[in-house]
Amino acid sequence: MLHALYFCRGIRYLSKYCPQRYAMIGEMLCKEQHDIVLLQEVWSEKDYLFLKKKLASCHPHSHYFRSGVIGSGLAIFSKHRIRDTFLYRYSLNGYPYMAHHGDWFGGKAVGMAILNLGSLTANVYVTHLHAEYSREKDSYLPHRVVQAWELQQFIRHTSAGADVVIVGGDLNMHPQDLGNRLLRAYTGLQDSYLKTAKFDGCENGMTLIADNPFISKKELVPFEKGIRIDYILFKGSTKAEVHCDSMCTTKGSVPNHPFPYSDHEALTAELRLEPHTPAETGSDRKLKNKDSTTGKLAELVDIVTEARTEVKVGLHCAERMRYTAARTGVMGLALLFLELVIAAVPYLALGAEQPFPRTSFYLLAVLCFAILLTTSMLYIFYTMELKSLQGAEDQMRLGIGSLQEKLKGFCLAQLHNPSGRPPEVQEPGAFEPEE
Amino acid sequence: MLHALYFCRGIRYLSKYCPQRYAMIGEMLCKEQHDIVLLQEVWSEKDYLFLKKKLASCHPHSHYFRSGVIGSGLAIFSKHRIRDTFLYRYSLNGYPYMAHHGDWFGGKAVGMAILNLGSLTANVYVTHLHAEYSREKDSYLPHRVVQAWELQQFIRHTSAGADVVIVGGDLNMHPQDLGNRLLRAYTGLQDSYLKTAKFDGCENGMTLIADNPFISKKELVPFEKGIRIDYILFKGSTKAEVHCDSMCTTKGSVPNHPFPYSDHEALTAELRLEPHTPAETGSDRKLKNKDSTTGKLAELVDIVTEARTEVKVGLHCAERMRYTAARTGVMGLALLFLELVIAAVPYLALGAEQPFPRTSFYLLAVLCFAILLTTSMLYIFYTMELKSLQGAEDQMRLGIGSLQEKLKGFCLAQLHNPSGRPPEVQEPGAFEPEE
């Protein structure tokens, strides 16, 4: 059984040649006949409806995920019936006042669609994480780490009933970045670029390349040639194995067109699903590679610990910002109080003249109110950010505890019973690397 | 195997006798030795930490879920190890400017904890939905329906790997309210009050009663005696059956204390878990009650359709509000423009006097800016509300489609093969009533 999967990024809002590029994407998708198409950055519903109409015959089933102010930009098109969908909005996603970055308004999220591929149930996820605007001074790193944490939680907890798991998305993380390691190690998802039997595309599987006319070369520094930040990940189950037979990317330009489809290169993976016969399934497979499981558990503990440290850095930063907002607010309040005292002078000392020019007086009052309003909104926002960061940190601490407990169980079992299976309580569950 | 479950509401922020009541709750929980304790409205982390310390010996495992500005207020205490936790924040939860209702600041959510109960895996959910402030004119109804929709989605999609599902919470819905029917019909969860063999507590299982000194009787109109809005729901699986052996509620006053624990009555349910031996499990059970499954599917289609209508009402309302915000914003802009023209008069017609008193001029400008700022924030907020409502409506439409498809499959199978099983494609999955 063979299933092709396509994953392509949509187009930035207000970007160049938008209608032409959607027409190009629609044509190409019609021609290539992928089973599943995952799109990001389809910010406008009109563009989604355009594609829906264009792909009505080859991809009769589709879903557009809505979130935030202009988002989530995520869409899925499928040849196979979409049985159910669910959307998880990340608790942290940048700052509304960083309007020039715009991520907050995009309402970043992960969308899930459940499809029937023959007799198999496939959970397909599409996501888009917060962008990295500076590699050296990445102030959004804690937010992206929390997003990766929530992504792995969402996938892990919702995919227990799935026979096949497929994740496609712009993770905005390099292959060895913390969030990426966290996601792969916790869920056991495989990177199709690393697992493919055949690859045809940009050097090192890069998806953001210097040759693309829609990106500025400055964004890529210090990676002049490009970076790999878009992924197709997959995982099988006891009911089916998944293999990546081939993978390819677009290579910047498109033949017979003056510009490429998007600012990112599109990824295509051909995944082969091998259903197990009932006799093959069962717990036998789970017992294989016990040593490697122990090693992986230990590695996972390290990764989660690293992520927790990063979240703590974010916590300190958010606390400092909230403190600054509170202090500025108090100053605004003091200034307002001072003004009221000055205003009261003529009334208290009858006959005394107003010691303050009227216009400046009013302007100052307005300034005080503006400061108070802004700082209270910022205070509320930072409190919410703090809550989310603390929540993620708590969950990570709990996760590390569970993993260490499991690791201890495995090690004890191996010490006392080198060839047997670990005790019943230590069943894999939260952590299920499928190799 | 017998497991007691306790569910108790915390205490409103800044309410009367807060420390005394937490001390009372702590004492009672220590004495009663429940397996699982689910709490809501624990707004302050200090109170959680107080309980954590107090219950350290009887409930060594606990988790506090954080969300929003002062929330989520949800906490779980357990005798059994908490293996994993996950939090889902509802996409809609009232309006920040309705500060006197305060729900928005509470960051309403559903928390999940995965526990090992012996050899069984239990998914325990605790939640708190948006309050109903007026039965006749409930402007939050679409929000609560969307919350119920997201709650059932979250439970359904995350509980595939669970042997036992337990949900406790203040749903702020009467037993036959739309959201409640939606939740129970889609997930197959059982209401322990309706299923219990023995009950001891307030009349009709009421949890918000007129005798409670912390609530005003006006809130209850037109239900003078009280209402039932807090629930313990449960569900078994192919690996275990769950029975509710007994249930009780507190009855307002507490012996030897001048006031009750909380404004809501606490619920206690004793649940008996009966693990199936491997021989009993399998697909046999799923084939029972095929007729009732068809009936339930048809009922579910009706309920989801009703929910969709309610969400559409919310959509129209949000659209109107957004339109009003936009119109007011444009008026503010027009006023500002007019002012600028007036201000330009002395410069254009040299020698002409400023036709406007200075103070009023500045005040008006401030007013314009305030209008512009407020309306743009409202516009953004309503856009996000619209996106969430549209998203829920889309998912409901998809859900209805899937259910109808399934129903058609069942009916066809029954027509052609009255005693056989439905065709393979129509396997229960999205909808699994466990009776």
Side-chain angles (χ1 to χ4, degrees), chain A residues 100-290:
Chain A
H100 59 296
H101 284 166
D103 290 71
W104 186 85
F105 293 87
K108 300 289 169 71
V110 46
M112 175 180 85
I114 302 182
L115 315 179
N116 289 330
L117 300 179
S119 63
L120 297 174
T121 298
N123 277 25
V124 180
Y125 300 85
V126 54
T127 191
H128 186 184
L129 303 196
H130 197 292
E132 182 185 78
Y133 294 97
S134 157
R135 188 83 186 158
E136 270 71 52
K137 222 186 143 204
D138 181 12
S139 53
Y140 297 113
L141 183 58
H143 283 211
R144 208 177 310 102
V145 169
V146 171
Q147 289 186 343
W149 173 256
E150 291 177 349
L151 176 61
Q152 69 78 15
Q153 281 189 312
F154 184 71
I155 293 173
R156 214 154 39 84
H157 292 302
T158 55
S159 63
D163 305 321
V164 180
V165 178
I166 297 168
V167 183
D170 172 3
L171 300 184
N172 273 313
M173 299 186 289
H174 295 217
Q176 283 310 310
D177 278 2
L178 175 59
N180 225 331
R181 282 182 285 137
L182 187 68
L183 173 65
R184 286 204 314 263
Y186 232 128
T187 58
L189 282 163
Q190 309 280 349
D191 184 343
S192 52
Y193 173 70
L194 299 177
K195 294 288 169 179
T196 184
K198 227 166 60 193
F199 178 76
D200 174 32
C202 300
E203 202 185 328
N204 300 322
M206 288 184 301
T207 57
L208 195 63
I209 58 171
D211 291 344
N212 192 304
F214 296 122
I215 61 163
S216 93
K217 290 205 171 70
K218 264 186 245 161
E219 282 177 41
L220 288 175
V221 170
F223 306 94
E224 279 76 18
K225 282 191 166 177
I227 49 181
R228 183 160 83 93
I229 56 172
D230 300 270
Y231 301 85
I232 296 174
L233 308 169
F234 63 85
K235 190 170 100 163
S237 68
T238 51
K239 276 178 82 183
E241 263 180 40
V242 187
H243 303 275
C244 183
D245 282 347
S246 76
M247 189 174 190
C248 63
T249 72
T250 54
K251 296 169 192 170
S253 55
V254 181
N256 306 322
H257 282 98
F259 39 78
Y261 300 111
S262 168
D263 55 340
H264 286 222
E265 299 311 314
L267 295 178
T268 310
E270 225 165 323
L271 302 177
R272 179 162 43 89
L273 312 187
E274 266 185 16
H276 288 283
T277 55
E280 285 177 80
T281 64
S283 58
D284 302 347
R285 286 180 65 255
K286 290 221 167 173
L287 293 181
K288 278 196 282 181
N289 307 321
K290 209 170 53 183

Side-chain angles (χ1 to χ4, degrees), chain A residues 66 68 71 83-89 91 153 156-158 359 362 366 377 387 390 394-395 402, chain B residues 66 68 71 83-89 91 153 156-158 359 362 366 377 387 390 394-395 402:
Chain A
R66 292 155 205 275
R83 211 172 66 186
D84 213 341
T85 59
F86 190 29
L87 183 72
Y88 181 87
R89 293 160 185 86
S91 66
Q153 281 189 312
R156 214 154 39 84
H157 292 302
T158 55
T359 315
Y362 283 114
V366 170
M377 284 197 312
K387 284 260 167 185
Q390 282 169 341
D394 274 357
Q395 290 174 344
S402 290
Chain B
R66 293 156 205 275
R83 210 173 67 186
D84 213 340
T85 60
F86 189 29
L87 183 72
Y88 181 87
R89 292 159 186 87
S91 65
Q153 281 187 312
R156 215 153 39 85
H157 291 303
T158 56
T359 315
Y362 283 114
V366 169
M377 283 197 313
K387 284 261 169 186
Q390 282 169 341
D394 275 357
Q395 289 174 343
S402 290

Side-chain angles (χ1 to χ4, degrees), chain A residues 43 45 62-72 81-89 91 104-105 112 114 116 119 150 153-154 156-161 358-359 362-363 366 373 377 380 383-384 387-388 390-391 394-395 398-399 401-402 405-406 424-425 427 429-430, chain B residues 43 45 62-72 81-89 91 104-105 112 114 116 119 150 153-154 156-161 358-359 362-363 366 373 377 380 383-384 387-388 390-391 394-395 398-399 401-402 405-406 424-425 427 429-430:
Chain A
W43 298 127
E45 191 164 353
S62 67
H63 191 77
Y64 185 54
F65 294 98
R66 292 155 205 275
S67 153
V69 187
I70 51 161
S72 62
R81 188 173 187 87
I82 297 176
R83 211 172 66 186
D84 213 341
T85 59
F86 190 29
L87 183 72
Y88 181 87
R89 293 160 185 86
S91 66
W104 186 85
F105 293 87
M112 175 180 85
I114 302 182
N116 289 330
S119 63
E150 291 177 349
Q153 281 189 312
F154 184 71
R156 214 154 39 84
H157 292 302
T158 55
S159 63
R358 235 191 166 130
T359 315
Y362 283 114
L363 281 180
V366 170
L373 189 73
M377 284 197 312
I380 289 176
T383 305
M384 287 166 74
K387 284 260 167 185
S388 293
Q390 282 169 341
D394 274 357
Q395 290 174 344
L398 188 82
S402 290
E405 194 77 5
K406 208 171 280 178
E424 198 55 44
V425 185
E427 252 184 46
Chain B
W43 298 126
E45 191 165 352
S62 68
H63 191 76
Y64 185 55
F65 294 97
R66 293 156 205 275
S67 153
V69 187
I70 52 160
S72 63
R81 189 173 186 87
I82 298 176
R83 210 173 67 186
D84 213 340
T85 60
F86 189 29
L87 183 72
Y88 181 87
R89 292 159 186 87
S91 65
W104 186 85
F105 292 87
M112 175 181 84
I114 302 183
N116 289 331
S119 63
E150 291 178 349
Q153 281 187 312
F154 184 70
R156 215 153 39 85
H157 291 303
T158 56
S159 63
R358 242 203 158 116
T359 315
Y362 283 114
L363 281 179
V366 169
L373 189 72
M377 283 197 313
I380 288 176
T383 305
M384 288 166 75
K387 284 261 169 186
S388 293
Q390 282 169 341
D394 275 357
Q395 289 174 343
L398 188 82
S402 290
E405 194 78 6
K406 208 171 279 178
E424 197 56 44
V425 184
E427 251 186 46

